[in-house]
Amino acid sequence: AAREAALARLLEAQDEKGGWSWFKGMPASRSVTLSILQGMARLTELGAVEYGEAEKRAQIAALRFLDERIRSDYDRLTEVERNDQKSGVSLEQVDYLTVRYAYRDIPVMHDAMEAIRFYTTIAERDWQRLPLAALARFAMMEYQSGKKAVLEPIMAWLRKTATISDEKGMYWANNRSRANAFASPIDTHCLLMAFFNEVSPDKQE
């Protein structure tokens, strides 16, 4: 079947460190690896696929690759940067946090736990700086984690910044195409719809 053939190509393209690159033979890319794991997790959430042992091994290896990268990010910070937390959090780091949560049944590499706590704290403080797609995934993670204190201002901000019209319905005018191969305006709007449906299933909204 086409699905099995595509999956075999995907597994074959994974490198020995667990990451995927833009093209075979290139260095593993954190953004590509995150995007693939996001897609695999989404298919599981939709009940569209059940992964076998080979796919599970690939996911474990990819998560190990990502755990090592987040630990490396954290290790590069000076003690002052860790204490004042002014270095911020990157989009890739936030995507890592949400992907890692989606695969919480797979143990986190021990050395990455401190980094996860550090970057989660910063993301919870600086969520207004996130692009809409990343914010939708992050807000869903906070909801599923029971972080109501973080979630409430995010919901209020999303409602405040939404445009509502008789012709177009409810949408976010700042949801425009950017230099991001992984999040089109349609993808982003669907993520926000899924988030609202999960957190506050108001049919009118």
Side-chain angles (χ1 to χ4, degrees):
R3 176 189 171 277
E4 282 70 28
L7 194 55
R9 287 187 61 191
L10 183 67
L11 298 182
E12 194 268 335
Q14 189 176 29
D15 74 6
E16 68 280 357
K17 294 181 179 178
W20 280 278
S21 60
W22 284 99
F23 298 101
K24 191 168 177 60
M26 293 178 65
S29 162
R30 181 164 17 182
S31 59
V32 172
T33 304
L34 285 165
S35 181
I36 289 170
L37 288 178
Q38 281 171 348
M40 295 178 86
R42 185 63 181 141
L43 289 172
T44 298
E45 290 168 8
L46 294 171
V49 64
E50 286 187 19
Y51 296 116
E53 194 60 36
E55 295 88 26
K56 202 69 173 178
R57 285 197 301 271
Q59 291 169 350
I60 291 169
L63 290 165
R64 185 172 61 247
F65 164 76
L66 294 171
D67 286 351
E68 289 174 350
R69 294 294 292 271
I70 201 75
R71 185 196 64 189
S72 178
D73 289 348
Y74 184 71
D75 287 347
R76 282 197 298 269
L77 296 175
T78 65
E79 187 173 349
V80 171
E81 288 173 323
R82 292 178 189 177
N83 290 335
D84 65 23
Q85 298 184 351
K86 290 181 180 178
S87 58
V89 62
S90 72
L91 178 56
E92 278 189 338
Q93 288 163 345
V94 173
D95 281 343
Y96 163 80
L97 295 175
T98 58
V99 164
R100 207 58 189 85
Y101 186 79
Y103 292 88
R104 54 194 178 278
D105 59 315
I106 297 175
V108 174
M109 192 175 70
H110 178 70
D111 290 350
M113 289 302 300
E114 190 173 353
I116 289 173
R117 286 190 290 267
F118 177 82
Y119 290 113
T120 299
T121 298
I122 296 177
E124 289 173 346
R125 181 194 69 194
D126 295 347
W127 59 263
Q128 284 188 322
R129 299 180 183 179
L130 298 177
L132 274 173
L135 179 58
R137 287 191 291 265
F138 180 71
M140 183 70 84
M141 181 187 83
E142 294 294 279
Y143 169 72
Q144 292 172 345
S145 301
K147 303 278 190 72
K148 290 185 178 180
V150 179
L151 187 67
E152 287 176 2
I154 293 176
M155 288 294 294
W157 184 85
L158 286 171
R159 287 192 169 108
K160 180 181 178 181
T161 56
T163 299
I164 300 176
S165 75
D166 292 337
E167 180 184 356
K168 294 184 178 180
M170 181 176 177
Y171 65 98
W172 287 265
N174 58 335
N175 177 24
R176 297 188 177 93
S177 295
R178 292 181 172 85
N180 185 341
F182 303 114
S184 75
I186 292 175
D187 295 329
T188 300
H189 191 83
C190 288
L191 283 168
L192 288 164
M193 286 176 66
F195 171 66
F196 268 80
N197 187 55
E198 178 77 17
V199 177
S200 179
D202 181 321
K203 297 301 180 185
Q204 185 62 36
E205 284 183 324

